Amino acid sequence: MRIGSLADRTGTSRRLLRYYEEQGLIGSTRCANGYRDYAESCVDKVIQIRGLLDAGLPVRVIREVLPCTDTPRTIRISAATSDTIALLERERDRMTQRIRCLERNRDAISNYLEAIRLETVQVAQQAGDSQPAKPAEAVVSGTGA
């Protein structure tokens, strides 16, 4: 399939697909006219790459783990080295820290939305009152671990 089809099917830009190929994450063959031709299996591979990137893994880690995948979203490492295991443990721990930060931020946003909704109800109930309700406050943590 051509790059445009792969981009459409995975929701990934053509530029990113070329970058993934440059980084050795996916491969293609060239047609006689010079266009890239991707195998059907690249669809699942690109989706998996996107998921791993979204989870916070850097390309260097994905490059090491990706060859060990035999089905989408499943990682199998037959002869993992101690370096690979240590690398994956560090990445897992880093992801756990990011998840905790995201959970705190999500909770803060939820609390803020709840306060806004409550304030809106109070304002509607006090429609005749000349004093507007005070704005709700919430603290959102902007940094992770």
Side-chain angles (χ1 to χ4, degrees):
M1 94 184 71
R2 295 201 10 212
I3 194 167
S5 296
L6 183 58
D8 291 342
R9 291 181 61 189
T10 60
T12 305
S13 72
R14 294 172 187 202
R15 182 176 178 197
L16 272 178
L17 293 173
R18 287 189 286 272
Y19 173 74
Y20 296 164
E21 189 170 354
E22 178 185 295
Q23 295 300 309
L25 301 176
I26 61 174
S28 69
T29 58
R30 293 287 182 156
C31 298
N33 59 8
Y35 291 158
R36 290 175 168 88
D37 184 41
Y38 295 94
E40 184 67 29
S41 61
C42 280
V43 172
D44 285 332
K45 189 172 271 194
V46 169
I47 291 169
Q48 185 158 19
I49 291 166
R50 300 289 304 157
L52 293 169
L53 285 168
D54 288 346
L57 274 94
V59 170
R60 65 179 171 75
V61 173
I62 295 171
R63 187 181 308 113
E64 189 165 336
V65 171
L66 203 58
C68 306
T69 60
D70 56 1
T71 58
R73 294 171 271 302
T74 301
I75 298 173
R76 302 210 190 288
I77 300 177
S78 56
T81 66
S82 59
D83 289 343
T84 300
I85 292 168
L87 176 67
L88 292 174
E89 286 174 338
R90 284 191 306 274
E91 290 303 322
R92 180 206 54 211
D93 294 344
R94 193 176 63 74
M95 289 168 58
T96 299
Q97 291 173 343
R98 279 190 71 204
I99 289 167
R100 288 182 184 137
C101 179
L102 289 169
E103 287 174 337
R104 285 191 308 270
N105 290 340
R106 180 207 53 214
D107 293 346
I109 289 170
S110 294
N111 291 338
Y112 182 74
L113 289 170
E114 186 178 327
I116 290 172
R117 288 184 185 109
L118 180 62
E119 180 180 324
T120 302
V121 168
Q122 290 172 347
V123 168
Q125 290 173 349
Q126 301 171 354
D129 193 358
S130 62
Q131 294 255 343
K134 292 182 182 177
E137 294 183 12
V139 176
V140 179
S141 171
T143 59

